[in-house]
Amino acid sequence: MLNKKTQFHYLVLVFAFFSNLLGFAQKDSLFQAKTITLEEALALAIQNNRQLKMVFIDAAIANENLSQAKIAKVPRVGINGGYTYIGDPKLYEGFYERNVTVDYFNHQAFANIVSSVPLYSGGLINEKIEQQKLLIQMQESAIKMTQADVKNAVATYYFTLEKLYREIEVTRQNILNTDLRIKQLKSRVDNGQNLKSDLLRTELQQSGFKVSVFRNTNDIELVSNYLDILTGLPTHTILKPVVSESSILPENVELQKSLADAYQNRQEIKRAAINIQLSESSLNITKSGFRPNINASLILNTEYPAQWPNYVNIINYWAAGISLNWDVSGFYTIKHRITSDKLQIDKSNVAFDAAKDQIEREVKSAYIKFEESKRNIDTYKKDVELSLSNYKIVKSRYDNDFALISDLVDAELQLNNSKISLVNANLDFIIHYYSLQFAMGKL
């Protein structure tokens, strides 16, 4: 018995020591917290989030690639020129028996301008332009998807942060209550009305409350760090949400309406549809190999000397023409590529159906959790009422010496847990509402 009592006293002292140390740290960190509204957090995330910046750059790259694809229709112009110094050539007879040195022009030069323009390319250029337009739509869709992901993450972390602050608020009130009871118990122990163990049990309960506050304070720093990264704020900034109860009025939703909205709004379905068009475009590009290419050309040329060795005058000429290039071997060499492209179209159609199935699962899951969290609020409200009534009864009995301190501690812990559960239920309801909005494609 003595050993057990010693261990119990030691445990109380340890909890009390660490709770006092942790109290200073939590006051310093939360005192400097920066208040922020959900709208401010969302606006900062849209403006500063690095993932969003990257997809915006990808969209800009896709637009530049479209401009590059359109250049294929523009006439191509090339300028060529050259200069050569030629030493006096020698003419040999026999096997290097005799030679005659020829007096020849040592300087030789040429210049020409060549221009060509595609008249017909079997539809290849137009198909590549259309394909690039589809890729731009994909990038624009990626922007919207990333924005929705960021908004959903910000909302989740934001209300998780509010949940932690409210848990601390409830627990701190319990710390104040136990402070009063500890003072009363000390007087009652001195008068012999209570045992020393009753006081130690209450002090241990208070230390547990303080450790809970410290744990929640650490979680606040972690969640604030996540929000700092999402919003582009300095990563050491401790944030405090500003949540007004009247401003949070989630609307009633129906499952079928939610599914219809998701099919209409979710970017995954739109991207799957664009993927089908991209696959069809690749097939058209492959089929363009069956068709000829027709080009027009224009040449301006000048040479000095014109020929060797008889003419030394400068010759200038221009030429215009049309050329046809037809890779006849493509009639049988690209058939496997065509088959592959058709299979890719089939795969894209299957991916489209799979995207719809995935979205249906996400919407149903979010809807069920949303409805569940709504019902949980009523349940936890009732729990708070019951635990509060139980606490009042036990407190009255304890004050009249009809209940033990352990009964009071248990009643108070039950009340504390029910209050925290209600706080969590209210905020989980809001979090699941935003998750459902995300699943419906409305964020």
Side-chain angles (χ1 to χ4, degrees):
M1 287 295 296
L2 182 61
N3 187 31
K4 289 183 178 179
K5 287 183 179 180
T6 304
Q7 290 178 355
F8 182 74
H9 283 73
Y10 178 74
L11 184 60
V12 171
L13 291 174
V14 170
F15 266 100
F17 175 75
F18 279 104
S19 63
N20 288 331
L21 289 179
L22 303 179
F24 291 110
Q26 69 192 26
K27 288 179 182 177
D28 290 341
S29 60
L30 298 185
F31 179 75
Q32 299 175 355
K34 172 183 174 61
T35 58
I36 187 171
T37 64
L38 178 61
E39 292 73 17
E40 290 173 343
L42 292 173
L44 287 172
I46 297 300
Q47 179 181 354
N48 300 323
N49 186 261
R50 291 183 176 87
Q51 292 293 331
L52 269 174
K53 289 181 178 179
M54 286 192 289
V55 293
F56 273 114
I57 292 174
D58 289 338
I61 293 172
N63 278 286
E64 292 299 325
N65 290 338
L66 174 62
S67 299
Q68 182 65 34
K70 290 180 178 179
I71 290 177
K73 288 186 173 183
V74 178
R76 292 179 292 276
V77 178
I79 299 176
N80 299 307
Y83 166 79
T84 304
Y85 179 85
I86 302 175
D88 292 336
K90 293 183 179 182
L91 301 178
Y92 286 89
E93 293 182 2
F95 189 73
Y96 296 98
E97 295 176 357
R98 290 186 305 167
N99 65 79
V100 178
T101 300
V102 179
D103 186 13
Y104 183 67
F105 289 96
N106 301 113
H107 306 282
Q108 190 177 57
F110 75 95
N112 58 60
I113 299 175
V114 180
S115 177
S116 63
V117 59
L119 300 179
Y120 177 73
S121 59
L124 177 63
I125 295 176
N126 290 332
E127 285 296 335
K128 286 187 174 181
I129 291 174
E130 292 303 316
Q131 189 177 69
Q132 195 58 48
K133 289 180 180 179
L134 292 173
L135 291 174
I136 289 177
Q137 294 179 28
M138 289 285 282
Q139 292 301 327
E140 292 174 347
S141 178
I143 291 174
K144 294 178 181 178
M145 285 179 61
T146 307
Q147 285 178 337
D149 289 336
V150 169
K151 288 180 179 179
N152 186 44
V154 168
T156 300
Y157 286 131
Y158 185 85
F159 290 107
T160 300
L161 200 58
E162 176 68 11
K163 186 191 300 184
L164 293 169
Y165 274 104
R166 294 195 183 185
E167 287 183 14
I168 289 177
E169 183 180 347
V170 172
T171 309
R172 279 181 173 170
Q173 183 59 48
N174 289 329
I175 293 174
L176 294 176
N177 294 338
T178 52
D179 274 337
L180 294 175
R181 190 161 67 249
I182 286 172
K183 291 178 182 179
Q184 294 173 355
L185 281 171
K186 285 180 179 179
S187 176
R188 293 169 68 94
V189 169
D190 293 338
N191 295 329
Q193 294 175 285
N194 283 87
L195 298 174
K196 181 69 173 178
S197 61
D198 293 340
L199 175 60
L200 294 176
R201 186 185 297 274
T202 306
E203 290 176 341
L204 182 61
Q205 180 192 22
Q206 186 188 64
S207 298
F209 287 147
K210 290 182 179 180
V211 170
S212 176
V213 170
F214 175 71
R215 186 184 301 114
N216 287 337
T217 302
N218 286 338
D219 291 340
I220 284 173
E221 293 184 5
L222 291 175
V223 176
S224 292
N225 181 256
Y226 299 152
L227 269 176
D228 291 339
I229 294 173
L230 285 171
T231 57
L233 292 171
T235 53
H236 63 276
T237 306
I238 305 298
L239 300 175
K240 187 178 190 310
V242 179
V243 180
S244 173
E245 299 293 343
S246 60
S247 64
I248 303 173
L249 297 172
E251 59 186 12
N252 292 323
V253 292
E254 298 178 355
L255 179 58
Q256 295 304 320
K257 178 66 166 56
S258 301
L259 287 171
D261 289 341
Y263 292 146
Q264 181 180 357
N265 300 326
R266 284 289 291 267
Q267 295 299 317
E268 288 85 347
I269 290 182
K270 296 179 180 180
R271 287 172 66 87
I274 295 173
N275 267 325
I276 295 175
Q277 295 178 327
L278 282 171
S279 300
E280 293 172 346
S281 177
S282 296
L283 176 61
N284 292 332
I285 290 175
T286 302
K287 287 182 176 180
S288 67
F290 288 125
R291 306 182 189 97
N293 293 326
I294 301 175
N295 297 283
S297 60
L298 175 66
I299 300 174
L300 300 177
N301 185 78
T302 180
E303 296 180 22
Y304 175 83
Q307 289 185 7
W308 180 82
N310 297 325
Y311 300 96
V312 296
N313 57 303
I314 297 175
I315 183 171
N316 296 318
Y317 70 90
W318 65 272
I322 190 170
S323 62
L324 182 144
N325 180 26
W326 201 343
D327 186 7
V328 180
S329 63
F331 291 175
Y332 58 88
T333 58
I334 63 175
K335 61 180 182 179
H336 295 294
R337 287 166 53 195
I338 290 177
T339 303
S340 175
D341 290 339
K342 289 181 178 179
L343 291 173
Q344 185 62 43
I345 293 174
D346 294 338
K347 180 181 176 181
S348 298
N349 282 300
V350 173
F352 179 83
D353 294 333
K356 292 182 67 176
D357 293 339
Q358 178 65 26
I359 288 172
E360 182 178 356
R361 289 194 295 269
E362 291 178 5
V363 171
K364 286 184 177 180
S365 175
Y367 179 82
I368 290 172
K369 290 181 179 179
F370 173 71
E371 291 296 322
E372 179 183 337
S373 62
K374 185 191 299 184
R375 292 185 177 91
N376 286 342
I377 293 176
D378 295 332
T379 301
Y380 288 122
K381 281 182 178 178
K382 188 66 176 178
D383 288 348
V384 170
E385 293 175 2
L386 294 175
S387 60
L388 180 59
S389 298
N390 179 62
Y391 172 76
K392 289 179 179 179
I393 293 171
V394 174
K395 180 70 165 57
S396 176
R397 294 183 62 194
Y398 173 77
D399 291 339
N400 291 282
D401 295 329
F402 290 111
L404 300 174
I405 188 67
S406 59
D407 298 329
L408 183 61
V409 169
D410 292 340
E412 192 168 58
L413 287 174
Q414 187 178 27
L415 178 60
N416 178 71
N417 292 335
S418 62
K419 285 181 178 180
I420 290 177
S421 296
L422 179 59
V423 166
N424 291 340
N426 281 300
L427 290 166
D428 284 339
F429 176 58
I430 300 170
I431 291 173
H432 289 313
Y433 170 76
Y434 278 97
S435 297
L436 180 58
Q437 293 296 303
F438 171 75
M440 293 165 60
K442 288 188 173 182
L443 278 185

